[in-house]
PDB file of all heavy atoms in Angstrom:
ATOM      1  N   GLN A 111       9.044 -17.589  23.300  1.00 95.00           N
ATOM      2  CA  GLN A 111       8.729 -16.508  24.232  1.00 95.00           C
ATOM      3  C   GLN A 111       9.450 -16.702  25.555  1.00 95.00           C
ATOM      4  O   GLN A 111       9.681 -15.751  26.294  1.00 95.00           O
ATOM      5  CB  GLN A 111       7.219 -16.457  24.465  1.00 95.00           C
ATOM      6  CG  GLN A 111       6.415 -16.016  23.240  1.00 95.00           C
ATOM      7  CD  GLN A 111       4.927 -16.048  23.493  1.00 95.00           C
ATOM      8  OE1 GLN A 111       4.465 -16.089  24.641  1.00 95.00           O
ATOM      9  NE2 GLN A 111       4.141 -16.026  22.420  1.00 95.00           N
ATOM     10  N   ARG A 112       9.826 -17.951  25.851  1.00 96.00           N
ATOM     11  CA  ARG A 112      10.495 -18.271  27.118  1.00 96.00           C
ATOM     12  C   ARG A 112      11.953 -18.691  26.930  1.00 96.00           C
ATOM     13  O   ARG A 112      12.789 -18.432  27.784  1.00 96.00           O
ATOM     14  CB  ARG A 112       9.730 -19.396  27.833  1.00 96.00           C
ATOM     15  CG  ARG A 112       8.291 -19.029  28.144  1.00 96.00           C
ATOM     16  CD  ARG A 112       7.576 -20.156  28.856  1.00 96.00           C
ATOM     17  NE  ARG A 112       8.251 -20.523  30.105  1.00 96.00           N
ATOM     18  CZ  ARG A 112       7.845 -21.538  30.879  1.00 96.00           C
ATOM     19  NH1 ARG A 112       6.815 -22.270  30.525  1.00 96.00           N
ATOM     20  NH2 ARG A 112       8.494 -21.791  31.992  1.00 96.00           N
ATOM     21  N   ILE A 113      12.233 -19.388  25.804  1.00 96.00           N
ATOM     22  CA  ILE A 113      13.578 -19.924  25.594  1.00 96.00           C
ATOM     23  C   ILE A 113      14.061 -19.544  24.203  1.00 96.00           C
ATOM     24  O   ILE A 113      13.480 -19.997  23.208  1.00 96.00           O
ATOM     25  CB  ILE A 113      13.590 -21.465  25.717  1.00 96.00           C
ATOM     26  CG1 ILE A 113      13.007 -21.915  27.056  1.00 96.00           C
ATOM     27  CG2 ILE A 113      15.011 -22.014  25.527  1.00 96.00           C
ATOM     28  CD1 ILE A 113      12.767 -23.409  27.145  1.00 96.00           C
ATOM     29  N   PRO A 114      15.066 -18.730  24.053  1.00 96.00           N
ATOM     30  CA  PRO A 114      15.614 -18.435  22.727  1.00 96.00           C
ATOM     31  C   PRO A 114      16.140 -19.722  22.078  1.00 96.00           C
ATOM     32  O   PRO A 114      16.974 -20.427  22.662  1.00 96.00           O
ATOM     33  CB  PRO A 114      16.754 -17.460  23.011  1.00 96.00           C
ATOM     34  CG  PRO A 114      16.439 -16.884  24.362  1.00 96.00           C
ATOM     35  CD  PRO A 114      15.759 -17.986  25.123  1.00 96.00           C
ATOM     36  N   CYS A 115      15.642 -20.051  20.902  1.00 97.00           N
ATOM     37  CA  CYS A 115      16.069 -21.254  20.208  1.00 97.00           C
ATOM     38  C   CYS A 115      15.691 -21.143  18.724  1.00 97.00           C
ATOM     39  O   CYS A 115      15.128 -20.136  18.293  1.00 97.00           O
ATOM     40  CB  CYS A 115      15.464 -22.512  20.829  1.00 97.00           C
ATOM     41  SG  CYS A 115      13.667 -22.510  20.935  1.00 97.00           S
ATOM     42  N   GLN A 116      16.029 -22.189  17.956  1.00 98.00           N
ATOM     43  CA  GLN A 116      15.789 -22.182  16.517  1.00 98.00           C
ATOM     44  C   GLN A 116      15.133 -23.496  16.096  1.00 98.00           C
ATOM     45  O   GLN A 116      15.352 -24.538  16.722  1.00 98.00           O
ATOM     46  CB  GLN A 116      17.110 -21.985  15.770  1.00 98.00           C
ATOM     47  CG  GLN A 116      17.749 -20.626  16.039  1.00 98.00           C
ATOM     48  CD  GLN A 116      19.186 -20.543  15.568  1.00 98.00           C
ATOM     49  OE1 GLN A 116      19.987 -21.443  15.815  1.00 98.00           O
ATOM     50  NE2 GLN A 116      19.536 -19.444  14.892  1.00 98.00           N
ATOM     51  N   LEU A 117      14.342 -23.415  15.022  1.00 98.00           N
ATOM     52  CA  LEU A 117      13.625 -24.579  14.506  1.00 98.00           C
ATOM     53  C   LEU A 117      13.976 -24.787  13.039  1.00 98.00           C
ATOM     54  O   LEU A 117      13.864 -23.866  12.233  1.00 98.00           O
ATOM     55  CB  LEU A 117      12.107 -24.376  14.649  1.00 98.00           C
ATOM     56  CG  LEU A 117      11.192 -25.409  13.965  1.00 98.00           C
ATOM     57  CD1 LEU A 117      11.369 -26.795  14.586  1.00 98.00           C
ATOM     58  CD2 LEU A 117       9.732 -24.965  14.049  1.00 98.00           C
ATOM     59  N   ILE A 118      14.415 -26.017  12.703  1.00 98.00           N
ATOM     60  CA  ILE A 118      14.683 -26.394  11.312  1.00 98.00           C
ATOM     61  C   ILE A 118      13.688 -27.480  10.918  1.00 98.00           C
ATOM     62  O   ILE A 118      13.591 -28.510  11.598  1.00 98.00           O
ATOM     63  CB  ILE A 118      16.121 -26.928  11.130  1.00 98.00           C
ATOM     64  CG1 ILE A 118      17.152 -25.916  11.629  1.00 98.00           C
ATOM     65  CG2 ILE A 118      16.376 -27.282   9.664  1.00 98.00           C
ATOM     66  CD1 ILE A 118      18.578 -26.480  11.683  1.00 98.00           C
ATOM     67  N   ILE A 119      12.957 -27.261   9.834  1.00 98.00           N
ATOM     68  CA  ILE A 119      12.032 -28.278   9.320  1.00 98.00           C
ATOM     69  C   ILE A 119      12.540 -28.719   7.955  1.00 98.00           C
ATOM     70  O   ILE A 119      12.335 -28.045   6.950  1.00 98.00           O
ATOM     71  CB  ILE A 119      10.590 -27.747   9.230  1.00 98.00           C
ATOM     72  CG1 ILE A 119      10.119 -27.236  10.598  1.00 98.00           C
ATOM     73  CG2 ILE A 119       9.658 -28.851   8.726  1.00 98.00           C
ATOM     74  CD1 ILE A 119       8.687 -26.707  10.612  1.00 98.00           C
ATOM     75  N   PHE A 120      13.233 -29.858   7.927  1.00 96.00           N
ATOM     76  CA  PHE A 120      13.718 -30.410   6.666  1.00 96.00           C
ATOM     77  C   PHE A 120      12.551 -31.022   5.883  1.00 96.00           C
ATOM     78  O   PHE A 120      11.538 -31.416   6.448  1.00 96.00           O
ATOM     79  CB  PHE A 120      14.769 -31.495   6.919  1.00 96.00           C
ATOM     80  CG  PHE A 120      16.098 -30.962   7.385  1.00 96.00           C
ATOM     81  CD1 PHE A 120      16.464 -31.056   8.727  1.00 96.00           C
ATOM     82  CD2 PHE A 120      16.989 -30.387   6.487  1.00 96.00           C
ATOM     83  CE1 PHE A 120      17.694 -30.572   9.162  1.00 96.00           C
ATOM     84  CE2 PHE A 120      18.212 -29.898   6.913  1.00 96.00           C
ATOM     85  CZ  PHE A 120      18.567 -29.992   8.245  1.00 96.00           C
ATOM     86  N   GLY A 121      12.728 -31.122   4.566  1.00 93.00           N
ATOM     87  CA  GLY A 121      11.714 -31.719   3.715  1.00 93.00           C
ATOM     88  C   GLY A 121      11.093 -30.708   2.779  1.00 93.00           C
ATOM     89  O   GLY A 121      11.481 -29.535   2.754  1.00 93.00           O
ATOM     90  N   GLU A 122      10.115 -31.174   2.023  1.00 92.00           N
ATOM     91  CA  GLU A 122       9.441 -30.325   1.060  1.00 92.00           C
ATOM     92  C   GLU A 122       8.073 -30.925   0.751  1.00 92.00           C
ATOM     93  O   GLU A 122       7.782 -32.062   1.120  1.00 92.00           O
ATOM     94  CB  GLU A 122      10.271 -30.219  -0.228  1.00 92.00           C
ATOM     95  CG  GLU A 122      10.589 -31.569  -0.853  1.00 92.00           C
ATOM     96  CD  GLU A 122      11.607 -31.476  -1.976  1.00 92.00           C
ATOM     97  OE1 GLU A 122      12.326 -30.477  -2.048  1.00 92.00           O
ATOM     98  OE2 GLU A 122      11.671 -32.430  -2.770  1.00 92.00           O
ATOM     99  N   GLY A 123       7.223 -30.142   0.105  1.00 91.00           N
ATOM    100  CA  GLY A 123       5.899 -30.644  -0.237  1.00 91.00           C
ATOM    101  C   GLY A 123       4.933 -29.513  -0.516  1.00 91.00           C
ATOM    102  O   GLY A 123       5.298 -28.330  -0.511  1.00 91.00           O
ATOM    103  N   PRO A 124       3.656 -29.852  -0.737  1.00 93.00           N
ATOM    104  CA  PRO A 124       2.669 -28.839  -1.129  1.00 93.00           C
ATOM    105  C   PRO A 124       2.387 -27.789  -0.066  1.00 93.00           C
ATOM    106  O   PRO A 124       1.883 -26.711  -0.383  1.00 93.00           O
ATOM    107  CB  PRO A 124       1.411 -29.672  -1.429  1.00 93.00           C
ATOM    108  CG  PRO A 124       1.620 -30.972  -0.718  1.00 93.00           C
ATOM    109  CD  PRO A 124       3.084 -31.217  -0.740  1.00 93.00           C
ATOM    110  N   GLU A 125       2.715 -28.072   1.192  1.00 95.00           N
ATOM    111  CA  GLU A 125       2.426 -27.117   2.267  1.00 95.00           C
ATOM    112  C   GLU A 125       3.608 -26.210   2.608  1.00 95.00           C
ATOM    113  O   GLU A 125       3.496 -25.369   3.501  1.00 95.00           O
ATOM    114  CB  GLU A 125       1.991 -27.874   3.529  1.00 95.00           C
ATOM    115  CG  GLU A 125       0.717 -28.684   3.374  1.00 95.00           C
ATOM    116  CD  GLU A 125      -0.484 -27.815   3.048  1.00 95.00           C
ATOM    117  OE1 GLU A 125      -0.632 -26.742   3.670  1.00 95.00           O
ATOM    118  OE2 GLU A 125      -1.262 -28.191   2.153  1.00 95.00           O
ATOM    119  N   THR A 126       4.743 -26.369   1.916  1.00 96.00           N
ATOM    120  CA  THR A 126       5.931 -25.580   2.265  1.00 96.00           C
ATOM    121  C   THR A 126       5.637 -24.089   2.264  1.00 96.00           C
ATOM    122  O   THR A 126       5.990 -23.365   3.209  1.00 96.00           O
ATOM    123  CB  THR A 126       7.084 -25.887   1.294  1.00 96.00           C
ATOM    124  OG1 THR A 126       7.384 -27.283   1.337  1.00 96.00           O
ATOM    125  CG2 THR A 126       8.334 -25.100   1.695  1.00 96.00           C
ATOM    126  N   GLY A 127       4.974 -23.606   1.224  1.00 96.00           N
ATOM    127  CA  GLY A 127       4.665 -22.175   1.125  1.00 96.00           C
ATOM    128  C   GLY A 127       3.810 -21.680   2.271  1.00 96.00           C
ATOM    129  O   GLY A 127       4.066 -20.600   2.838  1.00 96.00           O
ATOM    130  N   SER A 128       2.809 -22.462   2.660  1.00 97.00           N
ATOM    131  CA  SER A 128       1.932 -22.036   3.756  1.00 97.00           C
ATOM    132  C   SER A 128       2.677 -22.047   5.085  1.00 97.00           C
ATOM    133  O   SER A 128       2.418 -21.204   5.958  1.00 97.00           O
ATOM    134  CB  SER A 128       0.693 -22.935   3.836  1.00 97.00           C
ATOM    135  OG  SER A 128       1.033 -24.262   4.186  1.00 97.00           O
ATOM    136  N   TYR A 129       3.636 -22.967   5.254  1.00 97.00           N
ATOM    137  CA  TYR A 129       4.425 -23.002   6.486  1.00 97.00           C
ATOM    138  C   TYR A 129       5.322 -21.762   6.573  1.00 97.00           C
ATOM    139  O   TYR A 129       5.473 -21.164   7.649  1.00 97.00           O
ATOM    140  CB  TYR A 129       5.297 -24.263   6.553  1.00 97.00           C
ATOM    141  CG  TYR A 129       4.535 -25.556   6.649  1.00 97.00           C
ATOM    142  CD1 TYR A 129       5.098 -26.756   6.213  1.00 97.00           C
ATOM    143  CD2 TYR A 129       3.246 -25.605   7.169  1.00 97.00           C
ATOM    144  CE1 TYR A 129       4.417 -27.952   6.302  1.00 97.00           C
ATOM    145  CE2 TYR A 129       2.549 -26.802   7.260  1.00 97.00           C
ATOM    146  CZ  TYR A 129       3.147 -27.966   6.819  1.00 97.00           C
ATOM    147  OH  TYR A 129       2.470 -29.165   6.897  1.00 97.00           O
ATOM    148  N   ILE A 130       5.907 -21.381   5.449  1.00 97.00           N
ATOM    149  CA  ILE A 130       6.758 -20.179   5.427  1.00 97.00           C
ATOM    150  C   ILE A 130       5.925 -18.944   5.773  1.00 97.00           C
ATOM    151  O   ILE A 130       6.352 -18.085   6.564  1.00 97.00           O
ATOM    152  CB  ILE A 130       7.431 -20.034   4.051  1.00 97.00           C
ATOM    153  CG1 ILE A 130       8.448 -21.160   3.833  1.00 97.00           C
ATOM    154  CG2 ILE A 130       8.116 -18.667   3.920  1.00 97.00           C
ATOM    155  CD1 ILE A 130       9.014 -21.221   2.428  1.00 97.00           C
ATOM    156  N   GLN A 131       4.735 -18.850   5.196  1.00 97.00           N
ATOM    157  CA  GLN A 131       3.851 -17.720   5.479  1.00 97.00           C
ATOM    158  C   GLN A 131       3.419 -17.703   6.939  1.00 97.00           C
ATOM    159  O   GLN A 131       3.322 -16.631   7.559  1.00 97.00           O
ATOM    160  CB  GLN A 131       2.633 -17.758   4.558  1.00 97.00           C
ATOM    161  CG  GLN A 131       2.936 -17.429   3.103  1.00 97.00           C
ATOM    162  CD  GLN A 131       3.570 -16.047   2.951  1.00 97.00           C
ATOM    163  OE1 GLN A 131       3.129 -15.065   3.565  1.00 97.00           O
ATOM    164  NE2 GLN A 131       4.619 -15.973   2.141  1.00 97.00           N
ATOM    165  N   LEU A 132       3.162 -18.885   7.494  1.00 97.00           N
ATOM    166  CA  LEU A 132       2.766 -18.965   8.903  1.00 97.00           C
ATOM    167  C   LEU A 132       3.885 -18.466   9.809  1.00 97.00           C
ATOM    168  O   LEU A 132       3.648 -17.695  10.746  1.00 97.00           O
ATOM    169  CB  LEU A 132       2.407 -20.413   9.258  1.00 97.00           C
ATOM    170  CG  LEU A 132       2.039 -20.693  10.723  1.00 97.00           C
ATOM    171  CD1 LEU A 132       0.838 -19.849  11.166  1.00 97.00           C
ATOM    172  CD2 LEU A 132       1.754 -22.181  10.928  1.00 97.00           C
ATOM    173  N   ALA A 133       5.117 -18.891   9.512  1.00 97.00           N
ATOM    174  CA  ALA A 133       6.257 -18.425  10.312  1.00 97.00           C
ATOM    175  C   ALA A 133       6.408 -16.909  10.210  1.00 97.00           C
ATOM    176  O   ALA A 133       6.689 -16.230  11.209  1.00 97.00           O
ATOM    177  CB  ALA A 133       7.530 -19.129   9.848  1.00 97.00           C
ATOM    178  N   LYS A 134       6.203 -16.345   9.005  1.00 97.00           N
ATOM    179  CA  LYS A 134       6.286 -14.894   8.828  1.00 97.00           C
ATOM    180  C   LYS A 134       5.190 -14.184   9.613  1.00 97.00           C
ATOM    181  O   LYS A 134       5.435 -13.134  10.239  1.00 97.00           O
ATOM    182  CB  LYS A 134       6.177 -14.547   7.339  1.00 97.00           C
ATOM    183  CG  LYS A 134       7.424 -14.847   6.532  1.00 97.00           C
ATOM    184  CD  LYS A 134       7.253 -14.407   5.077  1.00 97.00           C
ATOM    185  CE  LYS A 134       8.519 -14.652   4.277  1.00 97.00           C
ATOM    186  NZ  LYS A 134       8.343 -14.258   2.855  1.00 97.00           N
ATOM    187  N   SER A 135       3.967 -14.727   9.577  1.00 97.00           N
ATOM    188  CA  SER A 135       2.853 -14.090  10.280  1.00 97.00           C
ATOM    189  C   SER A 135       3.070 -14.075  11.782  1.00 97.00           C
ATOM    190  O   SER A 135       2.523 -13.221  12.491  1.00 97.00           O
ATOM    191  CB  SER A 135       1.541 -14.816   9.953  1.00 97.00           C
ATOM    192  OG  SER A 135       1.498 -16.106  10.545  1.00 97.00           O
ATOM    193  N   LEU A 136       3.883 -15.016  12.279  1.00 97.00           N
ATOM    194  CA  LEU A 136       4.191 -15.079  13.710  1.00 97.00           C
ATOM    195  C   LEU A 136       5.525 -14.379  14.018  1.00 97.00           C
ATOM    196  O   LEU A 136       6.032 -14.500  15.141  1.00 97.00           O
ATOM    197  CB  LEU A 136       4.241 -16.545  14.164  1.00 97.00           C
ATOM    198  CG  LEU A 136       2.907 -17.296  14.058  1.00 97.00           C
ATOM    199  CD1 LEU A 136       3.107 -18.792  14.305  1.00 97.00           C
ATOM    200  CD2 LEU A 136       1.890 -16.735  15.059  1.00 97.00           C
ATOM    201  N   HIS A 137       6.071 -13.685  13.009  1.00 95.00           N
ATOM    202  CA  HIS A 137       7.317 -12.905  13.152  1.00 95.00           C
ATOM    203  C   HIS A 137       8.492 -13.782  13.601  1.00 95.00           C
ATOM    204  O   HIS A 137       9.262 -13.416  14.482  1.00 95.00           O
ATOM    205  CB  HIS A 137       7.101 -11.749  14.145  1.00 95.00           C
ATOM    206  CG  HIS A 137       5.896 -10.910  13.827  1.00 95.00           C
ATOM    207  ND1 HIS A 137       5.819 -10.099  12.717  1.00 95.00           N
ATOM    208  CD2 HIS A 137       4.689 -10.799  14.460  1.00 95.00           C
ATOM    209  CE1 HIS A 137       4.633  -9.498  12.684  1.00 95.00           C
ATOM    210  NE2 HIS A 137       3.927  -9.907  13.726  1.00 95.00           N
ATOM    211  N   MET A 138       8.598 -14.961  12.960  1.00 95.00           N
ATOM    212  CA  MET A 138       9.650 -15.897  13.348  1.00 95.00           C
ATOM    213  C   MET A 138      10.577 -16.232  12.178  1.00 95.00           C
ATOM    214  O   MET A 138      11.239 -17.275  12.194  1.00 95.00           O
ATOM    215  CB  MET A 138       9.026 -17.188  13.891  1.00 95.00           C
ATOM    216  CG  MET A 138       8.201 -17.017  15.142  1.00 95.00           C
ATOM    217  SD  MET A 138       7.829 -18.595  15.946  1.00 95.00           S
ATOM    218  CE  MET A 138       6.973 -19.471  14.626  1.00 95.00           C
ATOM    219  N   GLU A 139      10.657 -15.369  11.164  1.00 91.00           N
ATOM    220  CA  GLU A 139      11.490 -15.674  10.002  1.00 91.00           C
ATOM    221  C   GLU A 139      12.935 -15.978  10.386  1.00 91.00           C
ATOM    222  O   GLU A 139      13.580 -16.826   9.758  1.00 91.00           O
ATOM    223  CB  GLU A 139      11.486 -14.504   8.999  1.00 91.00           C
ATOM    224  CG  GLU A 139      10.118 -14.147   8.454  1.00 91.00           C
ATOM    225  CD  GLU A 139       9.500 -12.969   9.184  1.00 91.00           C
ATOM    226  OE1 GLU A 139       9.559 -12.959  10.442  1.00 91.00           O
ATOM    227  OE2 GLU A 139       9.003 -12.064   8.496  1.00 91.00           O
ATOM    228  N   SER A 140      13.431 -15.294  11.405  1.00 94.00           N
ATOM    229  CA  SER A 140      14.835 -15.473  11.776  1.00 94.00           C
ATOM    230  C   SER A 140      15.050 -16.680  12.691  1.00 94.00           C
ATOM    231  O   SER A 140      16.198 -17.023  12.990  1.00 94.00           O
ATOM    232  CB  SER A 140      15.366 -14.214  12.474  1.00 94.00           C
ATOM    233  OG  SER A 140      14.630 -13.944  13.654  1.00 94.00           O
ATOM    234  N   ASN A 141      13.973 -17.309  13.113  1.00 96.00           N
ATOM    235  CA  ASN A 141      14.097 -18.444  14.030  1.00 96.00           C
ATOM    236  C   ASN A 141      13.649 -19.775  13.434  1.00 96.00           C
ATOM    237  O   ASN A 141      13.860 -20.829  14.036  1.00 96.00           O
ATOM    238  CB  ASN A 141      13.281 -18.199  15.304  1.00 96.00           C
ATOM    239  CG  ASN A 141      13.828 -17.078  16.142  1.00 96.00           C
ATOM    240  OD1 ASN A 141      13.521 -15.920  15.902  1.00 96.00           O
ATOM    241  ND2 ASN A 141      14.666 -17.414  17.121  1.00 96.00           N
ATOM    242  N   VAL A 142      13.000 -19.751  12.257  1.00 98.00           N
ATOM    243  CA  VAL A 142      12.519 -20.989  11.616  1.00 98.00           C
ATOM    244  C   VAL A 142      13.139 -21.092  10.235  1.00 98.00           C
ATOM    245  O   VAL A 142      13.112 -20.135   9.458  1.00 98.00           O
ATOM    246  CB  VAL A 142      10.985 -21.021  11.505  1.00 98.00           C
ATOM    247  CG1 VAL A 142      10.529 -22.351  10.908  1.00 98.00           C
ATOM    248  CG2 VAL A 142      10.342 -20.812  12.870  1.00 98.00           C
ATOM    249  N   SER A 143      13.714 -22.254   9.909  1.00 98.00           N
ATOM    250  CA  SER A 143      14.384 -22.459   8.632  1.00 98.00           C
ATOM    251  C   SER A 143      13.745 -23.625   7.882  1.00 98.00           C
ATOM    252  O   SER A 143      13.405 -24.658   8.481  1.00 98.00           O
ATOM    253  CB  SER A 143      15.870 -22.752   8.859  1.00 98.00           C
ATOM    254  OG  SER A 143      16.514 -23.125   7.658  1.00 98.00           O
ATOM    255  N   PHE A 144      13.584 -23.464   6.562  1.00 97.00           N
ATOM    256  CA  PHE A 144      13.047 -24.509   5.688  1.00 97.00           C
ATOM    257  C   PHE A 144      14.089 -24.797   4.599  1.00 97.00           C
ATOM    258  O   PHE A 144      13.988 -24.288   3.491  1.00 97.00           O
ATOM    259  CB  PHE A 144      11.732 -24.055   5.056  1.00 97.00           C
ATOM    260  CG  PHE A 144      10.656 -23.726   6.056  1.00 97.00           C
ATOM    261  CD1 PHE A 144      10.488 -22.424   6.514  1.00 97.00           C
ATOM    262  CD2 PHE A 144       9.812 -24.712   6.540  1.00 97.00           C
ATOM    263  CE1 PHE A 144       9.504 -22.109   7.437  1.00 97.00           C
ATOM    264  CE2 PHE A 144       8.823 -24.409   7.460  1.00 97.00           C
ATOM    265  CZ  PHE A 144       8.663 -23.109   7.917  1.00 97.00           C
ATOM    266  N   PRO A 145      15.111 -25.594   4.900  1.00 96.00           N
ATOM    267  CA  PRO A 145      16.217 -25.791   3.960  1.00 96.00           C
ATOM    268  C   PRO A 145      15.938 -26.785   2.843  1.00 96.00           C
ATOM    269  O   PRO A 145      16.794 -27.009   1.992  1.00 96.00           O
ATOM    270  CB  PRO A 145      17.340 -26.309   4.860  1.00 96.00           C
ATOM    271  CG  PRO A 145      16.621 -27.017   5.969  1.00 96.00           C
ATOM    272  CD  PRO A 145      15.343 -26.258   6.189  1.00 96.00           C
TER     273      PRO A 145
END
């Protein structure tokens, strides 16, 4: 909200799906990456 930037969370696990959904619910799909 204050500084345009991007977040990359490397790794995988049982919570990956919930993290992706959380980022979508906060309208941050274009700013958060789960590679």
Side-chain angles (χ1 to χ4, degrees):
Q111 292 177 17
R112 300 180 58 183
I113 305 170
C115 56
Q116 295 167 314
L117 171 64
I118 304 171
I119 304 181
F120 287 103
E122 56 190 19
E125 298 298 317
T126 302
S128 65
Y129 295 155
I130 292 171
Q131 289 302 316
L132 177 59
K134 285 183 178 179
S135 70
L136 296 171
H137 308 292
M138 297 194 302
E139 300 98 315
S140 60
N141 293 85
V142 183
S143 172
F144 300 93

